[in-house]
């Protein structure tokens, strides 16, 4: 979820403007630790100075206020693709998660790094194409026509053609007095992303298949913010009888995310309806050739991407491999939702910044590993019974969530260029792309510093 509702007219949402500052460097093994120059005041991280208050949620956050220590080099789709064992086309299904990215995340495979960054660029284009200006007659719509969106968003050579614009509609019923408020406050439906299909023969050959991308931006409008705050779990609409073989409660997801996905008006179809119609058309056109569906998004867009993956695998019996590339996404559903998602075969790669608070909400997660450990203790059966009873009571409150998919965990603190205590900075998409571009492994988390100081890669 972006940390503002009103648009930032300048600078560009994906551009980080930073002051320069010298740093001392301490070399330890192949990685580096950095510390700020000494000062007369204690160097303590004060989150309360960075967290927005409720009044500030209605004001734009100037990206020039985001505190970094040095400029971040803009990322292009060519910077991260380096030599690797095999070309993507040989094992493209593994890069799409068919084996849950086993052996590709730690250390991070260079081909996979390039693919994550490439899909991050599609999300960045969704931000750049959105009209954030509330004074504009086209506020909350796409600024560019489909034929030139990628070129206008500085992404000219993707090999993809945009085929469908997508809009999300809030299901919140506003009171009558809201009519006196500025029109941008009550904007119910807004452009949230697009569907694009790979059409370039060379790119199809490189990827080993035709790829369909669905890309979503994060929170931008007032009603989207209000939907984010509807954080209790609600049941997914059931299409058929429960014959899944999973003896558990029905899958549940966050109320606000589901509302944005399924709500529509007599003039505007729901996001769910638009996605289903376009995917059905594309499957009819390209279903006989190697095909992948990659759904990507940041923040709110990451949550919607997960819902779309679930819906596609539920709706289409012969859907191709469906993969989610999620940047800085909040939690979406409960354990039953996660298990149904896994059973249906959808693959989710969550890129998470440990210092990003958005990835730690909504609700809370019960540690299943801890429960299994307790069950192995001598004389712990009574404790397990009590814990199970408490868990059932807690789950009835509709606040127990579960993490989905596979996680690539990064940290702003590993980068000497990022202020890891700034809440806004830690959640920005550009920060995520910077961390992915420089991550090597858990033992050597930041390659750029080690390369500059030691003259070699980690």
């Amino acid at each position: 979820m972006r940390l503002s509702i009103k648009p930032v007219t300048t600078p560009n949402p994906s551009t980080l403007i930073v002051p320069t500052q010298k740093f001392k460097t301490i070399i330890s093994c192949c990685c580096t630790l950095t510390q700020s120059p000494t000062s007369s005041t204690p160097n303590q991280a004060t989150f309360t100075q960075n967290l927005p208050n409720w009044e500030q949620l209605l004001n734009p956050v100037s990206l020039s206020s985001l505190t970094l220590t040095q400029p971040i080099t803009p990322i292009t789709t060519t910077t991260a693709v380096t030599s690797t064992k095999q070309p993507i086309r040989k094992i493209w299904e593994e890069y799409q998660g068919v084996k849950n990215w086993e052996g590709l995340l730690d250390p991070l495979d260079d081909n996979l790094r390039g693919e994550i960054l490439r899909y991050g660029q599609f999300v960045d284009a969704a931000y750049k194409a959105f009209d954030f200006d509330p004074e504009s007659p086209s506020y909350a719509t796409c600024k560019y026509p489909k034929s030139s969106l990628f070129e206008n968003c500085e992404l000219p050579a993707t090999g993809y053609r945009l085929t469908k614009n997508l809009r999300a509609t809030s299901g919140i019923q506003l009171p009558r007095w809201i009519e006196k408020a500025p029109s941008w406050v009550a904007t119910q439906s807004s452009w949230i992303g697009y569907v694009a299909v790979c059409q370039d023969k060379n790119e199809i050959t490189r990827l080993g298949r035709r790829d369909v991308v669905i890309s979503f931006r994060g929170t931008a409008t007032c009603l989207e913010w209000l939907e984010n705050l509807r954080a209790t779990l609600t049941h997914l609409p059931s299409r058929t009888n429960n014959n899944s073989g999973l003896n558990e409660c029905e899958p549940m997801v966050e109320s606000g995310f589901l509302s944005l996905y399924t709500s529509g008006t007599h003039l505007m179809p729901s996001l769910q309806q638009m996605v289903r119609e376009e995917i059905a058309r594309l499957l009819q056109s390209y279903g006989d050739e190697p095909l992948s569906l990659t759904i990507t998004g940041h923040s709110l867009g990451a949550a919607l991407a997960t819902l779309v993956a679930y819906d596609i695998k539920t709706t289409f019996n012969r859907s191709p491999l469906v993969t989610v590339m999620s940047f800085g996404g909040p939690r979406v559903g409960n354990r039953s939702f996660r298990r149904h998602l896994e059973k249906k075969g959808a693959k989710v790669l969550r890129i998470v910044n440990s210092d990003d608070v958005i990835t730690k909400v909504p609700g809370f997660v019960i540690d299943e590993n801890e429960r299994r450990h307790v069950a192995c203790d001598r004389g712990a059966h009574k404790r397990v019974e009590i814990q199970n009873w408490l868990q059932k009571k807690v789950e009835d409150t509709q606040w127990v969530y579960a993490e989905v998919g596979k996680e690539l965990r990064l940290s702003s603190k590993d980068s000497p260029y990022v202020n890891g205590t700034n809440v806004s900075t830690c959640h920005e998409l550009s920060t995520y792309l910077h961390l992915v571009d420089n991550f090597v492994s858990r033992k050597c988390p930041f390659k750029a510093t080690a390369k500059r100081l030691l003259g070699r890669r980690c």
Side-chain angles (χ1 to χ4, degrees):
M1 290 153 257
R2 294 173 65 84
L3 299 180
S4 64
I5 296 172
K6 288 186 65 178
V8 179
T9 56
T10 58
N12 189 284
S14 65
T15 303
L16 297 178
I17 300 177
V18 297
T20 59
Q21 183 178 357
K22 295 183 178 180
F23 265 63
K24 296 179 180 179
T25 305
I26 304 171
I27 302 178
S28 174
C29 190
C30 71
C31 302
T32 61
L33 302 175
T34 59
Q35 62 182 22
S36 301
T38 56
S39 60
S40 57
T41 58
N43 185 20
Q44 296 181 347
T46 308
F47 281 87
T48 55
Q49 295 177 354
N50 297 308
L51 285 170
N53 57 41
W54 291 110
E55 295 178 356
Q56 291 173 329
L57 291 179
L58 299 180
N59 296 320
V61 175
S62 175
L63 290 176
S64 60
S65 65
L66 302 184
T67 306
L68 302 180
T69 62
Q70 296 182 25
I72 292 177
T73 303
I75 298 171
T76 64
T77 55
T78 60
T79 57
V81 181
T82 59
S83 60
T84 187
K85 295 179 180 180
Q86 297 187 60
I88 292 176
R89 65 179 179 272
K90 296 292 185 180
I91 53 172
W92 69 265
E93 290 179 321
E94 293 186 26
Y95 288 116
Q96 290 295 110
V98 72
K99 295 182 179 179
N100 295 314
W101 297 277
E102 188 70 30
L104 298 176
L105 298 177
D106 190 17
L108 181 59
D109 180 89
D110 280 339
N111 268 346
L112 180 57
R113 183 201 318 279
E115 289 299 279
I116 293 173
L117 293 175
R118 188 169 67 90
Y119 289 117
Q121 294 283 339
F122 284 116
V123 180
D124 185 54
Y127 276 120
K128 290 178 177 177
F130 183 77
D131 189 348
F132 283 89
D133 184 4
E135 304 300 327
S136 170
S138 61
Y139 169 65
T141 65
C142 181
K143 295 187 293 185
Y144 310 118
K146 290 190 296 184
S147 59
S148 61
L149 183 145
F150 290 141
E151 288 75 11
N152 283 298
C153 294
E154 303 175 358
L155 206 62
T158 64
Y160 287 69
R161 179 173 62 86
L162 198 151
T163 63
K164 181 77 172 181
N165 283 309
L166 301 175
R167 298 181 66 89
T169 301
S170 170
I172 294 177
Q173 301 297 318
L174 297 174
R176 289 187 176 181
W177 58 261
I178 204 71
E179 297 175 358
K180 300 179 180 179
S183 59
W184 61 267
V185 175
T187 300
Q188 189 174 19
S189 180
S190 59
W191 184 84
I192 197 152
Y194 58 86
V195 181
V197 181
C198 186
Q199 301 284 16
D200 182 77
K201 292 183 179 180
N202 292 332
E203 184 68 359
I204 292 174
T205 300
R206 185 185 74 86
L207 295 175
R209 85 282 183 187
R210 188 184 300 273
D211 186 43
V212 176
V213 168
I214 305 176
S215 177
F216 295 114
R217 61 164 176 82
T219 306
T221 69
C222 181
L223 289 185
E224 287 171 1
W225 264 104
L226 292 179
E227 292 283 24
N228 291 339
L229 298 177
R230 298 172 62 188
T232 55
L233 291 163
T234 188
H235 288 281
L236 281 168
S238 178
R239 292 174 54 86
T240 59
N241 293 329
N242 184 15
N243 295 321
S244 63
L246 299 176
N247 297 322
E248 54 181 27
C249 62
E250 290 297 314
M252 302 175 71
V253 297
E254 202 250 23
S255 302
F257 301 154
L258 184 63
S259 173
L260 285 169
Y261 185 54
T262 59
S263 297
T265 67
H266 64 286
L267 297 176
M268 182 62 61
S270 67
L271 175 59
Q272 181 184 57
Q273 183 178 344
M274 287 186 280
V275 167
R276 287 180 177 180
E277 290 177 354
E278 183 64 7
I279 295 302
R281 186 186 71 83
L282 294 176
L283 290 179
Q284 186 174 8
S285 300
Y286 306 114
D288 295 333
E289 59 184 271
L291 186 68
S292 63
L293 301 182
T294 308
I295 314 165
T296 185
H298 171 248
S299 195
L300 167 64
L304 292 176
T306 306
L307 287 179
V308 169
Y310 180 92
D311 190 46
I312 290 176
K313 297 300 290 185
T314 302
T315 305
F316 301 96
N317 293 328
R318 295 185 178 181
S319 63
L321 180 59
V322 176
T323 302
V324 175
M325 294 283 183
S326 160
F327 298 89
R331 297 164 184 153
V332 178
N334 63 355
R335 287 186 297 166
S336 178
F337 172 76
R338 178 186 66 194
R339 289 169 182 167
H340 278 74
L341 189 69
E342 293 172 350
K343 183 178 178 62
K344 294 175 186 299
K347 302 300 179 180
V348 180
L349 179 59
R350 293 183 299 111
I351 297 92
V352 174
N353 182 356
S354 298
D355 307 302
D356 181 3
V357 297
I358 299 301
T359 63
K360 300 175 175 64
V361 295
F364 54 92
V365 175
I366 294 178
D367 190 345
E368 295 181 355
N369 292 328
E370 181 180 350
R371 292 179 62 220
R372 285 193 291 267
H373 176 72
V374 170
C376 295
D377 289 345
R378 180 181 299 179
H381 295 291
K382 191 66 176 179
R383 290 160 54 193
V384 171
E385 291 179 2
I386 295 175
Q387 190 171 13
N388 289 339
W389 179 83
L390 289 174
Q391 177 182 328
K392 180 63 172 61
K393 293 298 181 182
V394 171
E395 288 178 343
D396 289 342
T397 67
Q398 299 180 346
W399 279 96
V400 179
Y401 284 74
E403 308 290 6
V404 300
K406 196 75 174 181
E407 179 181 273
L408 173 60
R409 181 164 291 273
L410 312 169
S411 175
S412 296
K413 296 175 183 177
D414 291 331
S415 170
Y417 307 124
V418 180
N419 183 347
T421 64
N422 188 296
V423 176
S424 299
T425 303
C426 291
H427 186 57
E428 283 296 314
L429 175 63
S430 52
T431 299
Y432 272 85
L433 299 185
H434 166 68
L435 295 176
V436 170
D437 192 38
N438 291 282
F439 177 79
V440 178
S441 67
R442 285 180 294 180
K443 293 182 179 180
C444 186
F446 201 79
K447 70 175 182 182
T449 304
K451 183 177 181 180
R452 183 176 67 250
L453 295 176
L454 304 177
R456 62 181 177 83
R457 291 185 61 188
C458 295

